Amino acid sequence: METTSVSISRSPLTNREYPLPVNGNDKKGIDTFISLHPGKKVVVVQGLGFVGSVMGLVVANALTEEYAVIGIDLPTSSSFWKICSINEGVFPVIASDPKISVYYQNALQKKNYYATYDPYAFSKADVIIVDINLDVKKQSSFHNDVEDYDVDLLPFKKAINSIGKNCKQDVLVLVETTVPPGTCQKIVRPALEESLSQRGLSTEFLKVGHSYERVMPGPKYIDSIQNFYRVFAGTDEKSADATEIFLRTVIKTDEYPLTKLGNTNATEMAKVLENSYRAMNIAFMVEWSRFAEEASVDLYEVVNAIRMRPTHKNIMLPGLGVGGYCLTKDPLLASWARMNLFGSEERLNQSEKGVHINDKMPLYAFEFLQTQYTGSLKGKKVLLLGVSYLNDVGDTRYTPVESFYDCLEAEGGEIAIHDPHVLYWEEKDTWVNQDLDQMLQTDYDLIAITTGHREYRNNSKLIEKLLAKPRLFVYDTIGVLTNEEIKLLSEKHVVKVIGRGDL
Amino acid sequence: METTSVSISRSPLTNREYPLPVNGNDKKGIDTFISLHPGKKVVVVQGLGFVGSVMGLVVANALTEEYAVIGIDLPTSSSFWKICSINEGVFPVIASDPKISVYYQNALQKKNYYATYDPYAFSKADVIIVDINLDVKKQSSFHNDVEDYDVDLLPFKKAINSIGKNCKQDVLVLVETTVPPGTCQKIVRPALEESLSQRGLSTEFLKVGHSYERVMPGPKYIDSIQNFYRVFAGTDEKSADATEIFLRTVIKTDEYPLTKLGNTNATEMAKVLENSYRAMNIAFMVEWSRFAEEASVDLYEVVNAIRMRPTHKNIMLPGLGVGGYCLTKDPLLASWARMNLFGSEERLNQSEKGVHINDKMPLYAFEFLQTQYTGSLKGKKVLLLGVSYLNDVGDTRYTPVESFYDCLEAEGGEIAIHDPHVLYWEEKDTWVNQDLDQMLQTDYDLIAITTGHREYRNNSKLIEKLLAKPRLFVYDTIGVLTNEEIKLLSEKHVVKVIGRGDL
């Protein structure tokens, strides 16, 4: 799938290619950058992904202090272009939040956001924010059909060691990565102390804190970091205090007060617990969706009625599945930690089960289609509306549409895809058409709505166009169509909706 | 346990005994009552339990219409006293809601709330509201340790048949009982139609609706019926319309708009789904409570931090278990219906599992105690603070304290119980002391807080008294104690809290 050589990193934004540095260093670049900001504290953000790159932006636009910010990532084909991009004036994340561009322009003007691959940067840091990934490997190439999984801490430990080998002895290391509970106390702090000792430095002044972000890519990207509640803790009192002081300079804590917890196990648990809760609430609805289909019930109207109760406002709707980086793995991180870091013989069974149920949702959606669609799907023209896992956002990480797509492809369907927010579907290495009108000039046998984007909701022009088509199968996997639209479409087409029995 | 003869029904409020009627009828009483209310519509409420008796009160105090209300129940030793009590001017439910007494005094003055055991009342009814119980039998006398269960529809069907044999052909039968989804369409309506046909009457004018209550015994008892959102549906359009018209006369629909659903399967499903959701959310926290205990985490502070997120406000706290009439059985009703009324081969596994996990919570609480308490509990003096399943309410139905009590008793503990809201613990046939000061004059080996009543929270006098005691084991099963209180108590006593590891 990857066509560029491994020694090249290509920007999907500009298509520019960057040769990877070989045995190089960026000492000069870093020193020059720091010399531009005398007297300012240096904050290094480790990891330039969805969280780190934007976190760097927020720190460069801190509220009550001026920082010199360095973003650091590995010089790999998938990351190196981001480093170059930041330094060349092109922010490496596309987002609908206009604040991103405002903040980036500010940083460019102040010249206080630099990016590098050289761990030498850690030696200059007063604060290091850890925003790298910590992944769960599900034991199958087909990521949506597995009951077993593993947590590989090695890349994370390597990243922490890279800090320990370079950092000052009195640095504050603030871990924001979603980690297995226990990680800061049992892994990060001991590893850093060991490195410091090996370097002949004191471990007494080291500060390790944990505070998790609640980043939501989308129109409120920046606000989801800067204007939202934060939970934090330290591995000791000194670390907690340093973490609090730093966070207060960056986050609007007058409106969104900080919550301090007793230890880092607690903050780490809070993060995976809140995501497990959400994952479980989604999983809980899966069997009710089946029941509704069997009992001629429209589960969407039922859920909306239940949501009138303030205590039940967050009950979930039926759907195609769960995507994104958090809900698909965080419960597993927690369960893994319970057994591997705290020696329990019990898993978090319920929470694991939630992930497994959610992973199978797109498979159910496909099976349901097979029972409803007359004849084979082989050679049938299929249009998928939406590949993002989230409404009104272009984020395809672990999107459930992928499994659904794979099933359709395996059956021989000829699949076209549309998504107004996705230019390029990285995981499938394919370009996505964004012009719905153009796509609807073709006739299809099956049109499936697979993301709940605004463009597909209450769109009378879309309904009109569908009605002008020859008889086809309309499959709404997420309850986007209204009762009136279903009624209209059903006069000509076959319409099936997940979680809604034939009334 | 029951000491009165079966031919007697004794009021626990007045201790008066009423001989049960044998082969009697109440035609005269009913006719006299109705003659007092010429021109008024007659509403019969079937079932005088926690819902029906108060529903009758609300209808007798309807907002936009004057009704003649008859409450009807069976002439059994457990129910007959309620019938007599209503007619004698003593309302059969004790509740902290002052509106109950106001509404009852109104009804007494207007003489528009009569009670009877004679199904002849149905023949006079324009509206019949079904508020009887529909129970799930868990397959064990020890109700909290079973994985299997059965739904016995027979008593419910008998009650419906009693209506069918007597009602007018154009009556509106409004089912409020929490029933297995499908019941109104597949059981109630066919049964009533059959009875009408057998009586040579038309089935054309019969109306059967479903609208579930969301009654919460407690300080807002009346409001939980009259001033709250309602969902309704009919078995046909005519039934839905009649149901809506009736509900509008009784419920404050301008502030709490009605929600109409497509069919009665949907409203029946909504009720059991919302309770299943809550039961599941409680069950979900059980394994996290264990994890917190293992990881030296205070799960209460973690949950409170997570609740800052508007989407996570209803995440549950650790606790002793789940009680009451709804959460302990509604998920099972739903699963049973899926298999038995809709022929599915699948249970609602997740929802059933939720009930089973919750049922086992008090057993865990006891096992945890055993691992923490040094020595045997045999002959030890134990004080349980709270027997109600709910804070600040005297409701012992299916209270988890019962299983915990049974475990302690089986181990030979000498148990004293206190509850400011419970006079008499029906299920254990025992009187409950309500004077905490008096009870604390005794010394105990173990004091367990088993209900989160206000009286036990932030009560510095209680803490003082506990500190004056000889060394004892304080067991907080629901997180009532604050960190400061735990710290204070720990200086002298052993303190353990469910869901909170030793920090």
Side-chain angles (χ1 to χ4, degrees):
Chain A
M1 310 260 268
E2 182 65 69
T3 52
T4 55
S5 141
V6 285
S7 61
I8 287 285
S9 176
R10 195 188 57 181
S11 164
L13 303 181
T14 61
N15 260 324
R16 241 189 100 171
E17 295 188 339
Y18 303 92
L20 301 187
V22 184
N23 296 324
N25 73 61
D26 189 32
K27 197 169 174 305
K28 205 179 135 198
I30 293 166
D31 286 336
T32 308
F33 172 71
I34 285 175
S35 71
L36 292 176
H37 302 282
K40 285 189 198 166
K41 282 196 181 141
V42 175
V43 178
V44 173
V45 180
Q46 186 184 36
L48 291 173
F50 273 78
V51 177
S53 60
V54 182
M55 184 68 193
L57 217 47
V58 168
V59 178
N61 288 269
L63 303 170
T64 60
E65 175 133 6
E66 291 281 327
Y67 293 114
V69 181
I70 304 179
I72 180 167
D73 211 324
L74 298 174
T76 59
S77 64
S78 61
S79 294
F80 187 61
W81 69 269
K82 296 179 195 167
I83 295 165
C84 304
S85 199
I86 286 177
N87 293 337
E88 285 170 4
V90 178
F91 196 67
V93 171
I94 300 182
S96 51
D97 183 1
K99 275 194 182 174
I100 295 255
S101 138
V102 174
Y103 275 43
Y104 187 53
Q105 290 308 317
N106 267 348
L108 285 176
Q109 211 162 26
K110 294 194 282 181
K111 297 192 168 122
N112 71 339
Y113 190 6
Y114 180 72
T116 186
Y117 60 91
D118 188 344
Y120 169 72
F122 294 128
S123 69
K124 301 293 175 188
D126 300 288
V127 179
I128 297 170
I129 304 177
V130 179
D131 277 331
I132 56 176
N133 283 0
L134 198 162
D135 294 335
V136 172
K137 275 190 210 146
K138 298 186 183 178
Q139 301 297 357
S140 160
S141 59
F142 192 50
H143 78 269
N144 283 4
D145 193 19
V146 250
E147 297 264 325
D148 217 354
Y149 65 91
D150 194 32
V151 175
D152 180 9
L153 273 181
L154 222 69
F156 181 81
K157 284 182 178 165
K158 248 175 119 169
I160 297 299
N161 286 334
S162 156
I163 295 173
K165 280 182 206 146
N166 294 280
C167 68
K168 301 185 195 169
Q169 65 180 11
D170 64 346
V171 69
L172 163 64
V173 175
L174 172 53
V175 178
E176 288 198 322
T177 299
T178 303
V179 292
T183 298
C184 283
Q185 247 180 36
K186 292 169 184 271
I187 293 168
V188 177
R189 176 141 203 140
L192 293 175
E193 286 188 352
E194 199 190 324
S195 293
L196 288 176
S197 298
Q198 281 171 357
R199 290 164 56 204
L201 297 171
S202 165
T203 62
E204 188 187 335
F205 310 103
L206 173 68
K207 296 167 292 272
V208 177
H210 181 258
S211 175
Y212 58 94
E213 38 70 29
R214 282 149 162 168
V215 169
M216 279 301 280
K220 306 221 155 207
Y221 211 145
I222 293 275
D223 282 349
S224 72
I225 296 179
Q226 200 161 36
N227 294 325
F228 208 59
Y229 303 102
R230 274 271 185 161
V231 175
F232 76 97
T235 47
D236 54 19
E237 228 15 72
K238 213 168 51 214
S239 302
D241 292 345
T243 302
E244 179 169 0
I245 289 166
F246 173 72
L247 288 175
R248 284 197 187 284
T249 65
V250 172
I251 291 165
K252 246 196 184 150
T253 52
D254 47 345
E255 269 179 67
Y256 298 92
L258 298 173
T259 305
K260 179 180 173 180
L261 298 188
N263 55 39
T264 51
N265 295 351
T267 52
E268 292 162 336
M269 190 182 286
K271 170 67 183 243
V272 288
L273 173 52
E274 67 179 57
N275 281 336
S276 298
Y277 185 59
R278 209 164 178 79
M280 173 52 100
N281 282 342
I282 296 169
F284 168 75
M285 290 306 290
V286 169
E287 60 187 13
W288 288 88
S289 303
R290 302 297 84 78
F291 188 17
E293 289 155 6
E294 292 156 6
S296 302
V297 165
D298 176 356
L299 195 54
Y300 301 91
E301 70 163 17
V302 169
V303 167
N304 285 326
I306 292 174
R307 283 181 174 174
M308 303 282 277
R309 291 190 72 170
T311 51
H312 287 64
K313 267 207 178 355
N314 59 357
I315 184 168
M316 296 287 178
L317 290 164
L320 176 67
V322 175
Y325 185 64
C326 300
L327 305 195
T328 50
K329 73 159 195 353
D330 287 2
L332 306 179
L333 282 183
S335 189
W336 182 90
R338 187 179 182 198
M339 292 184 290
N340 293 282
L341 299 184
F342 292 95
S344 174
E345 284 171 21
E346 294 276 333
R347 295 165 174 252
L348 293 167
N349 283 304
Q350 291 295 100
S351 298
E352 284 195 8
K353 183 86 186 160
V355 174
H356 299 319
I357 289 172
N358 293 342
D359 281 351
K360 287 184 181 133
M361 286 173 74
L363 302 184
Y364 169 79
F366 182 71
E367 286 164 16
F368 185 66
L369 171 65
Q370 284 185 305
T371 65
Q372 304 292 322
Y373 190 86
T374 317
S376 157
L377 288 159
K378 196 175 162 73
K380 292 297 185 324
K381 284 198 165 165
V382 180
L383 173 62
L384 299 187
L385 296 179
V387 299
S388 177
Y389 76 89
L390 200 61
N391 304 353
D392 308 320
V393 167
D395 192 343
T396 58
R397 291 174 299 163
Y398 301 100
T399 174
V401 185
E402 190 177 348
S403 298
F404 188 69
Y405 179 103
D406 291 344
C407 291
L408 278 169
E409 198 175 41
E411 284 295 305
E414 285 177 20
I415 313 169
I417 47 180
H418 171 265
D419 194 306
H421 301 276
V422 179
L423 258 170
Y424 177 74
W425 187 0
E426 214 178 309
E427 293 81 0
K428 287 260 157 262
D429 191 25
T430 180
W431 296 93
V432 179
N433 195 323
Q434 305 196 293
D435 187 338
L436 188 55
D437 287 345
Q438 190 193 28
M439 299 219 68
L440 286 177
Q441 282 165 16
T442 308
D443 287 340
Y444 299 94
D445 300 291
L446 165 67
I447 295 183
I449 308 174
T450 38
T451 309
H453 290 314
R454 198 175 297 126
E455 285 78 358
Y456 310 140
R457 288 183 194 270
N458 302 305
N459 182 342
S460 54
K461 263 181 69 186
L462 172 60
I463 301 296
E464 248 171 61
K465 279 188 182 149
L466 292 179
L467 283 172
K469 292 273 159 210
R471 185 175 163 84
L472 65 96
F473 191 103
V474 178
Y475 189 24
D476 180 358
T477 68
I478 31 176
V480 157
L481 298 173
T482 63
N483 278 337
E484 291 66 39
E485 289 171 338
I486 293 169
K487 214 172 149 187
L488 267 173
L489 290 171
S490 297
E491 284 169 18
K492 182 162 188 187
H493 305 308
V494 181
V495 184
K496 294 287 167 185
V497 185
I498 292 231
R500 184 185 192 274
D502 294 327
L503 306 186
Chain B
M1 311 259 268
E2 182 64 67
T3 52
T4 55
S5 140
V6 286
S7 61
I8 288 284
S9 175
R10 197 187 57 181
S11 164
L13 303 182
T14 61
N15 261 322
R16 239 188 103 170
E17 296 188 338
Y18 302 91
L20 302 186
V22 184
N23 296 324
N25 73 63
D26 189 32
K27 197 169 174 304
K28 205 179 135 198
I30 293 166
D31 285 338
T32 307
F33 172 71
I34 286 175
S35 71
L36 293 175
H37 301 282
K40 285 187 197 164
K41 282 196 181 143
V42 176
V43 178
V44 174
V45 179
Q46 187 184 37
L48 291 173
F50 273 78
V51 178
S53 60
V54 183
M55 184 67 192
L57 217 48
V58 169
V59 178
N61 289 269
L63 302 169
T64 60
E65 177 134 6
E66 291 281 326
Y67 292 114
V69 180
I70 303 178
I72 182 167
D73 212 323
L74 298 174
T76 59
S77 62
S78 61
S79 294
F80 188 59
W81 69 269
K82 296 180 195 167
I83 294 165
C84 304
S85 199
I86 287 178
N87 293 338
E88 286 170 3
V90 179
F91 195 67
V93 171
I94 300 182
S96 52
D97 183 0
K99 275 195 183 174
I100 295 257
S101 138
V102 174
Y103 275 44
Y104 187 53
Q105 290 307 318
N106 267 348
L108 284 177
Q109 211 162 27
K110 293 194 283 181
K111 295 190 170 132
N112 72 339
Y113 190 6
Y114 180 72
T116 187
Y117 61 89
D118 189 345
Y120 169 70
F122 294 129
S123 69
K124 301 293 174 187
D126 299 290
V127 178
I128 297 170
I129 305 177
V130 179
D131 277 333
I132 57 176
N133 282 0
L134 199 163
D135 294 334
V136 172
K137 274 189 211 148
K138 298 186 183 176
Q139 301 295 356
S140 160
S141 59
F142 193 49
H143 78 271
N144 284 5
D145 193 20
V146 251
E147 298 263 325
D148 216 354
Y149 64 90
D150 194 33
V151 175
D152 180 9
L153 273 181
L154 223 69
F156 181 80
K157 283 182 178 166
K158 247 175 119 172
I160 297 300
N161 285 335
S162 156
I163 295 173
K165 280 182 204 147
N166 294 281
C167 68
K168 300 184 196 170
Q169 66 180 10
D170 64 345
V171 70
L172 163 64
V173 176
L174 173 53
V175 178
E176 288 199 322
T177 300
T178 304
V179 292
T183 298
C184 283
Q185 246 179 39
K186 291 171 185 270
I187 293 169
V188 177
R189 178 144 202 136
L192 292 175
E193 287 188 352
E194 199 189 325
S195 293
L196 288 175
S197 297
Q198 281 171 355
R199 291 164 58 204
L201 297 170
S202 166
T203 62
E204 189 186 335
F205 310 103
L206 173 70
K207 297 170 291 272
V208 177
H210 181 259
S211 175
Y212 58 95
E213 37 71 29
R214 282 149 161 168
V215 168
M216 279 301 280
K220 304 219 160 211
Y221 211 145
I222 293 276
D223 281 351
S224 72
I225 295 179
Q226 199 160 37
N227 293 326
F228 208 60
Y229 303 102
R230 274 272 183 159
V231 174
F232 76 97
T235 46
D236 54 21
E237 230 11 76
K238 211 166 55 213
S239 303
D241 291 346
T243 302
E244 178 169 0
I245 289 167
F246 173 72
L247 288 175
R248 283 197 187 284
T249 65
V250 172
I251 292 165
K252 243 191 184 157
T253 52
D254 47 345
E255 269 180 66
Y256 299 91
L258 298 173
T259 305
K260 180 180 173 180
L261 298 188
N263 56 39
T264 51
N265 296 351
T267 53
E268 292 161 336
M269 191 182 286
K271 170 67 184 242
V272 288
L273 173 52
E274 67 179 57
N275 282 335
S276 298
Y277 185 58
R278 207 161 180 80
M280 174 53 102
N281 282 343
I282 296 168
F284 168 75
M285 291 306 290
V286 169
E287 62 187 12
W288 288 87
S289 302
R290 302 298 84 81
F291 187 18
E293 290 155 7
E294 293 156 6
S296 302
V297 165
D298 176 356
L299 195 53
Y300 301 92
E301 71 163 16
V302 169
V303 167
N304 285 324
I306 292 174
R307 282 182 174 173
M308 302 283 276
R309 290 190 73 171
T311 52
H312 287 64
K313 265 205 179 353
N314 59 357
I315 184 168
M316 295 288 176
L317 291 162
L320 176 67
V322 175
Y325 185 66
C326 300
L327 305 195
T328 50
K329 72 161 195 353
D330 286 2
L332 306 179
L333 281 183
S335 188
W336 182 91
R338 187 179 182 198
M339 293 183 291
N340 292 282
L341 299 183
F342 293 96
S344 175
E345 282 169 23
E346 292 276 334
R347 294 166 174 252
L348 293 166
N349 284 304
Q350 290 296 99
S351 298
E352 284 195 7
K353 184 87 186 160
V355 174
H356 299 320
I357 289 173
N358 294 341
D359 281 351
K360 286 184 182 132
M361 287 172 73
L363 302 183
Y364 170 79
F366 182 70
E367 285 164 16
F368 185 65
L369 172 63
Q370 284 184 305
T371 64
Q372 305 292 323
Y373 190 85
T374 317
S376 157
L377 287 160
K378 196 174 163 73
K380 292 295 185 324
K381 284 197 166 167
V382 180
L383 173 61
L384 301 187
L385 296 179
V387 298
S388 178
Y389 75 89
L390 200 62
N391 303 355
D392 309 321
V393 167
D395 193 343
T396 59
R397 291 174 299 163
Y398 301 99
T399 174
V401 185
E402 190 177 348
S403 298
F404 188 68
Y405 180 102
D406 291 344
C407 292
L408 279 169
E409 198 175 42
E411 284 295 304
E414 283 177 24
I415 313 169
I417 48 179
H418 171 265
D419 195 305
H421 301 277
V422 179
L423 258 171
Y424 178 75
W425 188 359
E426 213 178 309
E427 293 81 0
K428 286 260 157 259
D429 192 25
T430 183
W431 296 93
V432 179
N433 196 322
Q434 305 194 292
D435 187 338
L436 188 54
D437 287 344
Q438 191 193 28
M439 300 218 66
L440 286 177
Q441 283 166 16
T442 308
D443 287 341
Y444 299 94
D445 301 291
L446 165 65
I447 294 182
I449 307 174
T450 38
T451 309
H453 290 314
R454 198 176 296 126
E455 286 79 358
Y456 311 139
R457 287 183 194 272
N458 302 305
N459 181 344
S460 55
K461 264 180 69 186
L462 172 60
I463 301 296
E464 249 170 64
K465 280 188 183 151
L466 292 178
L467 283 172
K469 292 273 158 211
R471 185 174 162 85
L472 65 96
F473 192 104
V474 178
Y475 188 25
D476 180 358
T477 67
I478 31 178
V480 157
L481 299 173
T482 64
N483 278 337
E484 290 67 37
E485 290 170 338
I486 293 169
K487 216 172 148 188
L488 267 174
L489 290 172
S490 298
E491 284 170 18
K492 182 161 187 186
H493 305 308
V494 181
V495 184
K496 293 288 167 184
V497 184
I498 293 230
R500 184 186 193 273
D502 294 326
L503 304 187

